[in-house]
Amino acid sequence: MKKLISSIFASLILAASVQAHAGLVAHEAVSGLATFKDTSTNLVWLQLPVLFGKSYADQLAIANAAGFQVADLTAVQTLANGSANLNTQSWGEIAAVMGRSGERELIWGNYDASGQDPSTVGWFYAYNNNGWYHYEQTDAGAFSDLGLWAYQVDAADVPEPASAALIGLGLLGFAMSRRKPTAK
């Protein structure tokens, strides 16, 4: 019975360590620009409000100078279908980490849609829990509340101390459950 309880306890700790390491979290600023991290991909993204009010060309220049790569539609969809999934968390929770328009209920930013036409820019956005949308057009002008989907190419992959501790406890629990009882 003790062995069963130890195994269940160890499994719960390991499951908690995996859960503690998944999602969107605030991250330290990079070159003075606010960021968040997608812990499932270990990419560090610019918070969307950082580049509000700038033209697409200015957004690109600032992001590239700080070591960020402008995301294409596939990269932004990976984020939206993973850690920023509106089916598993609320729009408000996601907006609190990514940033949102102060003028309206909108999380949105430009992405690189130049695959076929260099004058085309894409908008990827969500305004409620119904899902993410994208739109490609040729208007690359500045909007006061339009950000840029850009991520840091060489984001460090350092485990969080709490996750490492939980994994260690889980492994210790498994080791204890495998130990043979000593003779009395």
Side-chain angles (χ1 to χ4, degrees):
M1 184 66 168
K2 284 183 180 180
K3 193 173 191 177
L4 176 64
I5 291 172
S6 294
S7 293
I8 291 171
F9 179 70
S11 297
L12 289 173
I13 289 176
L14 282 173
S17 70
V18 170
Q19 183 65 23
H21 193 63
L24 301 177
V25 294
H27 192 266
E28 63 196 34
V30 174
S31 299
L33 303 172
T35 63
F36 67 91
K37 184 173 183 175
D38 176 358
T39 59
S40 65
T41 62
N42 290 313
L43 294 178
V44 175
W45 292 79
L46 283 177
Q47 277 189 355
L48 293 170
V50 168
L51 298 175
F52 281 180
K54 307 229 181 303
S55 70
Y56 183 61
D58 288 343
Q59 288 178 337
L60 291 176
I62 293 167
N64 289 333
F68 287 85
Q69 176 177 328
V70 178
D72 61 11
L73 180 59
T74 302
V76 182
Q77 285 176 326
T78 299
L79 175 67
N81 292 328
S83 295
N85 191 322
L86 289 167
N87 293 322
T88 59
Q89 46 191 330
S90 75
W91 182 93
E93 291 170 325
I94 294 169
V97 177
M98 288 183 170
R100 58 168 281 244
S101 168
E103 299 174 16
R104 48 190 155 177
E105 296 292 314
L106 192 60
I107 302 170
W108 73 320
N110 288 310
Y111 67 87
D112 181 4
S114 64
Q116 288 120 9
D117 180 358
S119 67
T120 302
V121 65
W123 295 341
F124 196 83
Y125 60 97
Y127 53 87
N128 59 29
N129 268 48
N130 289 336
W132 291 95
Y133 306 93
H134 66 93
Y135 175 72
E136 295 180 3
Q137 40 70 45
T138 56
D139 180 9
F143 285 84
S144 61
D145 63 345
L146 179 63
L148 180 70
W149 295 104
Y151 57 89
Q152 192 174 25
V153 177
D154 296 317
D157 183 13
V158 178
E160 298 172 16
S163 296
L166 286 172
I167 289 171
L169 281 173
L171 292 173
L172 179 65
F174 272 125
M176 296 298 287
S177 71
R178 304 292 299 167
R179 214 174 95 202
K180 293 184 182 200
T182 57
K184 292 184 182 182

